Amino acid sequence: MPFSYSQFADFLGCPRSYFLGRIKKVPRTENAPLCIGKGAHQIVHAIEELKSVGEPFDVAELCRQFESQMAPEIIADPKWTKDWPLVPKWVEQYLTWSEPQETLATESFYTVRVPDGPEEITLVIDRIYRDADGAEVISDLKTGRNKPSASQLPIDLQLSIYALSYREFTGHLPDYLEIVHMRSGTAHRTTRSDEQVDAVLENVVRPLMADINLSMACGEEGVWACNPMRTYGCGFCDYCESCPLGK
């Protein structure tokens, strides 16, 4: 079974949620913030695709097209009515910021084998580009209300897994990894060394894979703790209504 960062994040945050979504296959409830994030990502990707072949694009029209696909209950959500009208502005400021950069890939899907093991990691990288100084940058887009801080980046697991996977796929690490917060128009960069990536692999990734494999082998008899990290309240969980503990 291939692993992914989202699997690791789900399992670390709430094994019970992991069990409900990935083993019991309980349908995930879509919500307005999730759809807004998905829409912003899809619109940026569509624009990059159009730019790559020299085709014109209209940000407002792309936003209207995405909104037309949304369920009525999503559009009626106050979070949607408050934030979705701001998305064209987020996208326009992102395009202005990224104009000097050379896009190498967007929404790129990778499957890489974990070093010295049978496991594989799959991931989708929002964007890879070369900046004005010729540096290769892996860029991750965020749209949530929580604004990432520069102090978070050196220990960000997602960026470490991106660096690990990129190294296995290309033979070298990216020059930089960054998180772009579209809502605030800010971007923070960091780096990873081979030693840092190796430490994350041995001390985080391998133990996580072992824990997940053990829990999967136990099935419903496994220990699927409910929200042990207390990172977010159960009310934020997509499976809250299907979880006796969370409910």
Side-chain angles (χ1 to χ4, degrees), residues 152-184:
Q152 294 174 288
L153 269 65
I155 58 171
D156 187 276
L157 179 59
Q158 184 175 17
L159 295 183
S160 295
I161 290 175
Y162 282 174
L164 167 65
S165 301
Y166 193 76
R167 185 181 69 178
E168 294 307 306
F169 192 79
T170 65
H172 65 274
L173 291 168
D175 295 304
Y176 296 102
L177 302 111
E178 73 180 8
I179 291 180
V180 178
H181 189 234
M182 294 182 67
R183 185 183 292 262
S184 62

PDB file of all heavy atoms in Angstrom, residues 152-184:
ATOM      1  N   GLN A 152       7.657  27.788  11.584  1.00  0.00           N
ATOM      2  CA  GLN A 152       7.095  26.443  11.424  1.00  0.00           C
ATOM      3  C   GLN A 152       7.809  25.640  10.351  1.00  0.00           C
ATOM      4  O   GLN A 152       7.834  24.411  10.404  1.00  0.00           O
ATOM      5  CB  GLN A 152       5.609  26.535  11.055  1.00  0.00           C
ATOM      6  CG  GLN A 152       4.710  27.113  12.116  1.00  0.00           C
ATOM      7  CD  GLN A 152       3.296  27.295  11.584  1.00  0.00           C
ATOM      8  OE1 GLN A 152       3.028  28.172  10.770  1.00  0.00           O
ATOM      9  NE2 GLN A 152       2.387  26.445  12.044  1.00  0.00           N
ATOM     10  N   LEU A 153       8.368  26.323   9.363  1.00  0.00           N
ATOM     11  CA  LEU A 153       8.859  25.636   8.175  1.00  0.00           C
ATOM     12  C   LEU A 153       9.997  24.658   8.415  1.00  0.00           C
ATOM     13  O   LEU A 153      10.018  23.575   7.814  1.00  0.00           O
ATOM     14  CB  LEU A 153       9.253  26.662   7.100  1.00  0.00           C
ATOM     15  CG  LEU A 153       8.139  27.037   6.117  1.00  0.00           C
ATOM     16  CD1 LEU A 153       6.999  27.750   6.838  1.00  0.00           C
ATOM     17  CD2 LEU A 153       8.658  27.903   4.989  1.00  0.00           C
ATOM     18  N   PRO A 154      10.975  24.970   9.288  1.00  0.00           N
ATOM     19  CA  PRO A 154      12.079  24.018   9.477  1.00  0.00           C
ATOM     20  C   PRO A 154      11.644  22.662  10.022  1.00  0.00           C
ATOM     21  O   PRO A 154      12.366  21.673   9.851  1.00  0.00           O
ATOM     22  CB  PRO A 154      12.999  24.739  10.472  1.00  0.00           C
ATOM     23  CG  PRO A 154      12.703  26.189  10.274  1.00  0.00           C
ATOM     24  CD  PRO A 154      11.231  26.245   9.987  1.00  0.00           C
ATOM     25  N   ILE A 155      10.492  22.588  10.687  1.00  0.00           N
ATOM     26  CA  ILE A 155      10.029  21.310  11.241  1.00  0.00           C
ATOM     27  C   ILE A 155       8.750  20.823  10.567  1.00  0.00           C
ATOM     28  O   ILE A 155       8.093  19.921  11.073  1.00  0.00           O
ATOM     29  CB  ILE A 155       9.817  21.413  12.765  1.00  0.00           C
ATOM     30  CG1 ILE A 155       8.805  22.516  13.104  1.00  0.00           C
ATOM     31  CG2 ILE A 155      11.135  21.643  13.474  1.00  0.00           C
ATOM     32  CD1 ILE A 155       8.381  22.533  14.557  1.00  0.00           C
ATOM     33  N   ASP A 156       8.397  21.422   9.436  1.00  0.00           N
ATOM     34  CA  ASP A 156       7.164  21.047   8.741  1.00  0.00           C
ATOM     35  C   ASP A 156       7.338  19.669   8.089  1.00  0.00           C
ATOM     36  O   ASP A 156       8.203  19.484   7.219  1.00  0.00           O
ATOM     37  CB  ASP A 156       6.818  22.089   7.679  1.00  0.00           C
ATOM     38  CG  ASP A 156       5.464  21.848   7.042  1.00  0.00           C
ATOM     39  OD1 ASP A 156       5.395  21.037   6.088  1.00  0.00           O
ATOM     40  OD2 ASP A 156       4.475  22.439   7.498  1.00  0.00           O
ATOM     41  N   LEU A 157       6.524  18.694   8.510  1.00  0.00           N
ATOM     42  CA  LEU A 157       6.665  17.320   8.018  1.00  0.00           C
ATOM     43  C   LEU A 157       6.347  17.221   6.537  1.00  0.00           C
ATOM     44  O   LEU A 157       7.010  16.491   5.803  1.00  0.00           O
ATOM     45  CB  LEU A 157       5.760  16.381   8.821  1.00  0.00           C
ATOM     46  CG  LEU A 157       5.772  14.909   8.407  1.00  0.00           C
ATOM     47  CD1 LEU A 157       7.174  14.322   8.500  1.00  0.00           C
ATOM     48  CD2 LEU A 157       4.796  14.102   9.266  1.00  0.00           C
ATOM     49  N   GLN A 158       5.339  17.932   6.094  1.00  0.00           N
ATOM     50  CA  GLN A 158       4.967  17.871   4.677  1.00  0.00           C
ATOM     51  C   GLN A 158       6.126  18.304   3.780  1.00  0.00           C
ATOM     52  O   GLN A 158       6.446  17.637   2.792  1.00  0.00           O
ATOM     53  CB  GLN A 158       3.747  18.745   4.407  1.00  0.00           C
ATOM     54  CG  GLN A 158       3.239  18.653   2.968  1.00  0.00           C
ATOM     55  CD  GLN A 158       1.951  19.427   2.759  1.00  0.00           C
ATOM     56  OE1 GLN A 158       1.586  20.280   3.561  1.00  0.00           O
ATOM     57  NE2 GLN A 158       1.264  19.143   1.672  1.00  0.00           N
ATOM     58  N   LEU A 159       6.778  19.405   4.115  1.00  0.00           N
ATOM     59  CA  LEU A 159       7.903  19.872   3.308  1.00  0.00           C
ATOM     60  C   LEU A 159       9.073  18.880   3.355  1.00  0.00           C
ATOM     61  O   LEU A 159       9.763  18.674   2.352  1.00  0.00           O
ATOM     62  CB  LEU A 159       8.359  21.248   3.782  1.00  0.00           C
ATOM     63  CG  LEU A 159       7.359  22.403   3.598  1.00  0.00           C
ATOM     64  CD1 LEU A 159       7.980  23.724   4.048  1.00  0.00           C
ATOM     65  CD2 LEU A 159       6.869  22.504   2.166  1.00  0.00           C
ATOM     66  N   SER A 160       9.284  18.249   4.516  1.00  0.00           N
ATOM     67  CA  SER A 160      10.357  17.249   4.620  1.00  0.00           C
ATOM     68  C   SER A 160      10.068  16.049   3.725  1.00  0.00           C
ATOM     69  O   SER A 160      10.982  15.505   3.086  1.00  0.00           O
ATOM     70  CB  SER A 160      10.514  16.803   6.075  1.00  0.00           C
ATOM     71  OG  SER A 160      10.951  17.866   6.894  1.00  0.00           O
ATOM     72  N   ILE A 161       8.812  15.630   3.670  1.00  0.00           N
ATOM     73  CA  ILE A 161       8.444  14.502   2.812  1.00  0.00           C
ATOM     74  C   ILE A 161       8.550  14.892   1.343  1.00  0.00           C
ATOM     75  O   ILE A 161       8.982  14.082   0.505  1.00  0.00           O
ATOM     76  CB  ILE A 161       7.036  14.003   3.167  1.00  0.00           C
ATOM     77  CG1 ILE A 161       7.072  13.321   4.542  1.00  0.00           C
ATOM     78  CG2 ILE A 161       6.503  13.029   2.115  1.00  0.00           C
ATOM     79  CD1 ILE A 161       5.731  12.899   5.068  1.00  0.00           C
ATOM     80  N   TYR A 162       8.195  16.126   1.014  1.00  0.00           N
ATOM     81  CA  TYR A 162       8.408  16.613  -0.351  1.00  0.00           C
ATOM     82  C   TYR A 162       9.888  16.539  -0.718  1.00  0.00           C
ATOM     83  O   TYR A 162      10.252  16.090  -1.812  1.00  0.00           O
ATOM     84  CB  TYR A 162       7.935  18.057  -0.485  1.00  0.00           C
ATOM     85  CG  TYR A 162       6.447  18.250  -0.601  1.00  0.00           C
ATOM     86  CD1 TYR A 162       5.906  19.527  -0.609  1.00  0.00           C
ATOM     87  CD2 TYR A 162       5.573  17.174  -0.699  1.00  0.00           C
ATOM     88  CE1 TYR A 162       4.530  19.735  -0.719  1.00  0.00           C
ATOM     89  CE2 TYR A 162       4.206  17.356  -0.801  1.00  0.00           C
ATOM     90  CZ  TYR A 162       3.688  18.647  -0.811  1.00  0.00           C
ATOM     91  OH  TYR A 162       2.336  18.843  -0.913  1.00  0.00           O
ATOM     92  N   ALA A 163      10.750  17.005   0.197  1.00  0.00           N
ATOM     93  CA  ALA A 163      12.191  16.996  -0.071  1.00  0.00           C
ATOM     94  C   ALA A 163      12.703  15.571  -0.238  1.00  0.00           C
ATOM     95  O   ALA A 163      13.492  15.281  -1.155  1.00  0.00           O
ATOM     96  CB  ALA A 163      12.933  17.709   1.058  1.00  0.00           C
ATOM     97  N   LEU A 164      12.270  14.679   0.636  1.00  0.00           N
ATOM     98  CA  LEU A 164      12.670  13.269   0.551  1.00  0.00           C
ATOM     99  C   LEU A 164      12.252  12.668  -0.788  1.00  0.00           C
ATOM    100  O   LEU A 164      13.060  12.030  -1.481  1.00  0.00           O
ATOM    101  CB  LEU A 164      12.042  12.481   1.704  1.00  0.00           C
ATOM    102  CG  LEU A 164      12.087  10.951   1.610  1.00  0.00           C
ATOM    103  CD1 LEU A 164      13.519  10.455   1.671  1.00  0.00           C
ATOM    104  CD2 LEU A 164      11.258  10.324   2.731  1.00  0.00           C
ATOM    105  N   SER A 165      11.013  12.869  -1.151  1.00  0.00           N
ATOM    106  CA  SER A 165      10.492  12.288  -2.387  1.00  0.00           C
ATOM    107  C   SER A 165      11.162  12.895  -3.618  1.00  0.00           C
ATOM    108  O   SER A 165      11.488  12.184  -4.575  1.00  0.00           O
ATOM    109  CB  SER A 165       8.972  12.500  -2.453  1.00  0.00           C
ATOM    110  OG  SER A 165       8.335  11.898  -1.340  1.00  0.00           O
ATOM    111  N   TYR A 166      11.380  14.201  -3.572  1.00  0.00           N
ATOM    112  CA  TYR A 166      12.034  14.874  -4.698  1.00  0.00           C
ATOM    113  C   TYR A 166      13.452  14.353  -4.874  1.00  0.00           C
ATOM    114  O   TYR A 166      13.919  14.131  -5.996  1.00  0.00           O
ATOM    115  CB  TYR A 166      12.037  16.381  -4.454  1.00  0.00           C
ATOM    116  CG  TYR A 166      12.399  17.211  -5.655  1.00  0.00           C
ATOM    117  CD1 TYR A 166      11.485  17.425  -6.679  1.00  0.00           C
ATOM    118  CD2 TYR A 166      13.664  17.798  -5.771  1.00  0.00           C
ATOM    119  CE1 TYR A 166      11.810  18.203  -7.784  1.00  0.00           C
ATOM    120  CE2 TYR A 166      14.003  18.569  -6.874  1.00  0.00           C
ATOM    121  CZ  TYR A 166      13.067  18.776  -7.872  1.00  0.00           C
ATOM    122  OH  TYR A 166      13.391  19.539  -8.969  1.00  0.00           O
ATOM    123  N   ARG A 167      14.138  14.128  -3.754  1.00  0.00           N
ATOM    124  CA  ARG A 167      15.501  13.596  -3.830  1.00  0.00           C
ATOM    125  C   ARG A 167      15.517  12.200  -4.430  1.00  0.00           C
ATOM    126  O   ARG A 167      16.373  11.878  -5.273  1.00  0.00           O
ATOM    127  CB  ARG A 167      16.137  13.574  -2.439  1.00  0.00           C
ATOM    128  CG  ARG A 167      17.596  13.136  -2.451  1.00  0.00           C
ATOM    129  CD  ARG A 167      18.186  13.096  -1.053  1.00  0.00           C
ATOM    130  NE  ARG A 167      17.618  12.035  -0.234  1.00  0.00           N
ATOM    131  CZ  ARG A 167      17.992  11.775   1.012  1.00  0.00           C
ATOM    132  NH1 ARG A 167      18.930  12.510   1.597  1.00  0.00           N
ATOM    133  NH2 ARG A 167      17.436  10.795   1.701  1.00  0.00           N
ATOM    134  N   GLU A 168      14.562  11.369  -4.028  1.00  0.00           N
ATOM    135  CA  GLU A 168      14.512  10.004  -4.562  1.00  0.00           C
ATOM    136  C   GLU A 168      14.147  10.003  -6.044  1.00  0.00           C
ATOM    137  O   GLU A 168      14.592   9.142  -6.800  1.00  0.00           O
ATOM    138  CB  GLU A 168      13.500   9.168  -3.769  1.00  0.00           C
ATOM    139  CG  GLU A 168      13.895   8.925  -2.325  1.00  0.00           C
ATOM    140  CD  GLU A 168      15.289   8.341  -2.203  1.00  0.00           C
ATOM    141  OE1 GLU A 168      15.574   7.313  -2.839  1.00  0.00           O
ATOM    142  OE2 GLU A 168      16.118   8.937  -1.476  1.00  0.00           O
ATOM    143  N   PHE A 169      13.355  10.994  -6.459  1.00  0.00           N
ATOM    144  CA  PHE A 169      12.889  11.037  -7.857  1.00  0.00           C
ATOM    145  C   PHE A 169      13.935  11.645  -8.784  1.00  0.00           C
ATOM    146  O   PHE A 169      14.104  11.186  -9.917  1.00  0.00           O
ATOM    147  CB  PHE A 169      11.590  11.844  -7.935  1.00  0.00           C
ATOM    148  CG  PHE A 169      10.876  11.726  -9.247  1.00  0.00           C
ATOM    149  CD1 PHE A 169      10.099  10.614  -9.545  1.00  0.00           C
ATOM    150  CD2 PHE A 169      10.985  12.728 -10.200  1.00  0.00           C
ATOM    151  CE1 PHE A 169       9.446  10.504 -10.764  1.00  0.00           C
ATOM    152  CE2 PHE A 169      10.327  12.628 -11.425  1.00  0.00           C
ATOM    153  CZ  PHE A 169       9.555  11.511 -11.713  1.00  0.00           C
ATOM    154  N   THR A 170      14.637  12.687  -8.293  1.00  0.00           N
ATOM    155  CA  THR A 170      15.560  13.412  -9.170  1.00  0.00           C
ATOM    156  C   THR A 170      17.026  13.147  -8.873  1.00  0.00           C
ATOM    157  O   THR A 170      17.893  13.457  -9.701  1.00  0.00           O
ATOM    158  CB  THR A 170      15.331  14.933  -9.041  1.00  0.00           C
ATOM    159  OG1 THR A 170      15.677  15.347  -7.708  1.00  0.00           O
ATOM    160  CG2 THR A 170      13.878  15.297  -9.328  1.00  0.00           C
ATOM    161  N   GLY A 171      17.321  12.626  -7.682  1.00  0.00           N
ATOM    162  CA  GLY A 171      18.709  12.416  -7.300  1.00  0.00           C
ATOM    163  C   GLY A 171      19.324  13.584  -6.547  1.00  0.00           C
ATOM    164  O   GLY A 171      20.487  13.519  -6.141  1.00  0.00           O
ATOM    165  N   HIS A 172      18.550  14.665  -6.357  1.00  0.00           N
ATOM    166  CA  HIS A 172      19.071  15.805  -5.594  1.00  0.00           C
ATOM    167  C   HIS A 172      17.924  16.502  -4.872  1.00  0.00           C
ATOM    168  O   HIS A 172      16.765  16.353  -5.231  1.00  0.00           O
ATOM    169  CB  HIS A 172      19.797  16.794  -6.504  1.00  0.00           C
ATOM    170  CG  HIS A 172      18.897  17.450  -7.514  1.00  0.00           C
ATOM    171  ND1 HIS A 172      18.612  16.882  -8.742  1.00  0.00           N
ATOM    172  CD2 HIS A 172      18.199  18.618  -7.481  1.00  0.00           C
ATOM    173  CE1 HIS A 172      17.796  17.664  -9.422  1.00  0.00           C
ATOM    174  NE2 HIS A 172      17.526  18.734  -8.688  1.00  0.00           N
ATOM    175  N   LEU A 173      18.281  17.264  -3.852  1.00  0.00           N
ATOM    176  CA  LEU A 173      17.278  18.027  -3.109  1.00  0.00           C
ATOM    177  C   LEU A 173      16.933  19.310  -3.846  1.00  0.00           C
ATOM    178  O   LEU A 173      17.755  19.835  -4.607  1.00  0.00           O
ATOM    179  CB  LEU A 173      17.815  18.386  -1.719  1.00  0.00           C
ATOM    180  CG  LEU A 173      17.987  17.229  -0.729  1.00  0.00           C
ATOM    181  CD1 LEU A 173      18.796  17.686   0.470  1.00  0.00           C
ATOM    182  CD2 LEU A 173      16.624  16.709  -0.281  1.00  0.00           C
ATOM    183  N   PRO A 174      15.732  19.837  -3.635  1.00  0.00           N
ATOM    184  CA  PRO A 174      15.431  21.157  -4.195  1.00  0.00           C
ATOM    185  C   PRO A 174      16.261  22.219  -3.480  1.00  0.00           C
ATOM    186  O   PRO A 174      16.701  22.019  -2.345  1.00  0.00           O
ATOM    187  CB  PRO A 174      13.929  21.328  -3.894  1.00  0.00           C
ATOM    188  CG  PRO A 174      13.696  20.487  -2.679  1.00  0.00           C
ATOM    189  CD  PRO A 174      14.608  19.308  -2.825  1.00  0.00           C
ATOM    190  N   ASP A 175      16.462  23.348  -4.142  1.00  0.00           N
ATOM    191  CA  ASP A 175      17.210  24.430  -3.497  1.00  0.00           C
ATOM    192  C   ASP A 175      16.418  25.026  -2.344  1.00  0.00           C
ATOM    193  O   ASP A 175      16.984  25.389  -1.314  1.00  0.00           O
ATOM    194  CB  ASP A 175      17.548  25.522  -4.517  1.00  0.00           C
ATOM    195  CG  ASP A 175      18.489  25.017  -5.601  1.00  0.00           C
ATOM    196  OD1 ASP A 175      19.576  24.509  -5.240  1.00  0.00           O
ATOM    197  OD2 ASP A 175      18.141  25.100  -6.794  1.00  0.00           O
ATOM    198  N   TYR A 176      15.100  25.137  -2.536  1.00  0.00           N
ATOM    199  CA  TYR A 176      14.240  25.698  -1.498  1.00  0.00           C
ATOM    200  C   TYR A 176      12.904  24.962  -1.474  1.00  0.00           C
ATOM    201  O   TYR A 176      12.472  24.379  -2.483  1.00  0.00           O
ATOM    202  CB  TYR A 176      13.961  27.192  -1.744  1.00  0.00           C
ATOM    203  CG  TYR A 176      15.171  28.080  -1.681  1.00  0.00           C
ATOM    204  CD1 TYR A 176      15.767  28.537  -2.849  1.00  0.00           C
ATOM    205  CD2 TYR A 176      15.718  28.459  -0.458  1.00  0.00           C
ATOM    206  CE1 TYR A 176      16.894  29.353  -2.806  1.00  0.00           C
ATOM    207  CE2 TYR A 176      16.845  29.280  -0.404  1.00  0.00           C
ATOM    208  CZ  TYR A 176      17.424  29.713  -1.578  1.00  0.00           C
ATOM    209  OH  TYR A 176      18.531  30.513  -1.519  1.00  0.00           O
ATOM    210  N   LEU A 177      12.266  25.022  -0.315  1.00  0.00           N
ATOM    211  CA  LEU A 177      10.873  24.605  -0.163  1.00  0.00           C
ATOM    212  C   LEU A 177      10.141  25.803   0.427  1.00  0.00           C
ATOM    213  O   LEU A 177      10.687  26.536   1.253  1.00  0.00           O
ATOM    214  CB  LEU A 177      10.749  23.400   0.765  1.00  0.00           C
ATOM    215  CG  LEU A 177      11.536  22.152   0.335  1.00  0.00           C
ATOM    216  CD1 LEU A 177      12.679  21.931   1.316  1.00  0.00           C
ATOM    217  CD2 LEU A 177      10.649  20.937   0.253  1.00  0.00           C
ATOM    218  N   GLU A 178       8.900  25.996  -0.005  1.00  0.00           N
ATOM    219  CA  GLU A 178       8.192  27.175   0.489  1.00  0.00           C
ATOM    220  C   GLU A 178       6.710  26.881   0.676  1.00  0.00           C
ATOM    221  O   GLU A 178       6.154  25.951   0.078  1.00  0.00           O
ATOM    222  CB  GLU A 178       8.364  28.360  -0.461  1.00  0.00           C
ATOM    223  CG  GLU A 178       7.575  28.231  -1.749  1.00  0.00           C
ATOM    224  CD  GLU A 178       7.760  29.417  -2.694  1.00  0.00           C
ATOM    225  OE1 GLU A 178       8.615  30.291  -2.444  1.00  0.00           O
ATOM    226  OE2 GLU A 178       7.029  29.456  -3.703  1.00  0.00           O
ATOM    227  N   ILE A 179       6.098  27.686   1.532  1.00  0.00           N
ATOM    228  CA  ILE A 179       4.653  27.694   1.694  1.00  0.00           C
ATOM    229  C   ILE A 179       4.158  29.077   1.309  1.00  0.00           C
ATOM    230  O   ILE A 179       4.663  30.089   1.817  1.00  0.00           O
ATOM    231  CB  ILE A 179       4.237  27.360   3.138  1.00  0.00           C
ATOM    232  CG1 ILE A 179       4.561  25.890   3.454  1.00  0.00           C
ATOM    233  CG2 ILE A 179       2.744  27.622   3.343  1.00  0.00           C
ATOM    234  CD1 ILE A 179       4.196  25.465   4.866  1.00  0.00           C
ATOM    235  N   VAL A 180       3.214  29.113   0.381  1.00  0.00           N
ATOM    236  CA  VAL A 180       2.606  30.365  -0.060  1.00  0.00           C
ATOM    237  C   VAL A 180       1.191  30.422   0.512  1.00  0.00           C
ATOM    238  O   VAL A 180       0.384  29.524   0.258  1.00  0.00           O
ATOM    239  CB  VAL A 180       2.553  30.459  -1.597  1.00  0.00           C
ATOM    240  CG1 VAL A 180       1.876  31.756  -2.032  1.00  0.00           C
ATOM    241  CG2 VAL A 180       3.957  30.366  -2.184  1.00  0.00           C
ATOM    242  N   HIS A 181       0.912  31.442   1.288  1.00  0.00           N
ATOM    243  CA  HIS A 181      -0.425  31.626   1.868  1.00  0.00           C
ATOM    244  C   HIS A 181      -1.171  32.619   0.993  1.00  0.00           C
ATOM    245  O   HIS A 181      -0.944  33.832   1.063  1.00  0.00           O
ATOM    246  CB  HIS A 181      -0.307  32.132   3.307  1.00  0.00           C
ATOM    247  CG  HIS A 181      -1.600  32.138   4.038  1.00  0.00           C
ATOM    248  ND1 HIS A 181      -2.105  33.260   4.669  1.00  0.00           N
ATOM    249  CD2 HIS A 181      -2.520  31.149   4.245  1.00  0.00           C
ATOM    250  CE1 HIS A 181      -3.260  32.972   5.241  1.00  0.00           C
ATOM    251  NE2 HIS A 181      -3.527  31.711   4.992  1.00  0.00           N
ATOM    252  N   MET A 182      -2.075  32.100   0.158  1.00  0.00           N
ATOM    253  CA  MET A 182      -2.741  32.939  -0.829  1.00  0.00           C
ATOM    254  C   MET A 182      -3.637  33.994  -0.173  1.00  0.00           C
ATOM    255  O   MET A 182      -3.775  35.114  -0.679  1.00  0.00           O
ATOM    256  CB  MET A 182      -3.546  32.079  -1.790  1.00  0.00           C
ATOM    257  CG  MET A 182      -2.708  31.162  -2.663  1.00  0.00           C
ATOM    258  SD  MET A 182      -3.690  30.204  -3.844  1.00  0.00           S
ATOM    259  CE  MET A 182      -4.285  31.508  -4.939  1.00  0.00           C
ATOM    260  N   ARG A 183      -4.240  33.640   0.934  1.00  0.00           N
ATOM    261  CA  ARG A 183      -5.171  34.552   1.605  1.00  0.00           C
ATOM    262  C   ARG A 183      -4.469  35.855   2.028  1.00  0.00           C
ATOM    263  O   ARG A 183      -5.032  36.940   1.901  1.00  0.00           O
ATOM    264  CB  ARG A 183      -5.790  33.859   2.818  1.00  0.00           C
ATOM    265  CG  ARG A 183      -6.862  34.655   3.543  1.00  0.00           C
ATOM    266  CD  ARG A 183      -7.330  33.880   4.762  1.00  0.00           C
ATOM    267  NE  ARG A 183      -8.054  32.678   4.393  1.00  0.00           N
ATOM    268  CZ  ARG A 183      -9.379  32.582   4.343  1.00  0.00           C
ATOM    269  NH1 ARG A 183     -10.127  33.633   4.632  1.00  0.00           N
ATOM    270  NH2 ARG A 183      -9.953  31.443   4.015  1.00  0.00           N
ATOM    271  N   SER A 184      -3.248  35.737   2.547  1.00  0.00           N
ATOM    272  CA  SER A 184      -2.521  36.908   3.025  1.00  0.00           C
ATOM    273  C   SER A 184      -1.481  37.408   2.026  1.00  0.00           C
ATOM    274  O   SER A 184      -0.873  38.464   2.242  1.00  0.00           O
ATOM    275  CB  SER A 184      -1.827  36.580   4.353  1.00  0.00           C
ATOM    276  OG  SER A 184      -0.867  35.541   4.172  1.00  0.00           O
TER     277      SER A 184
END
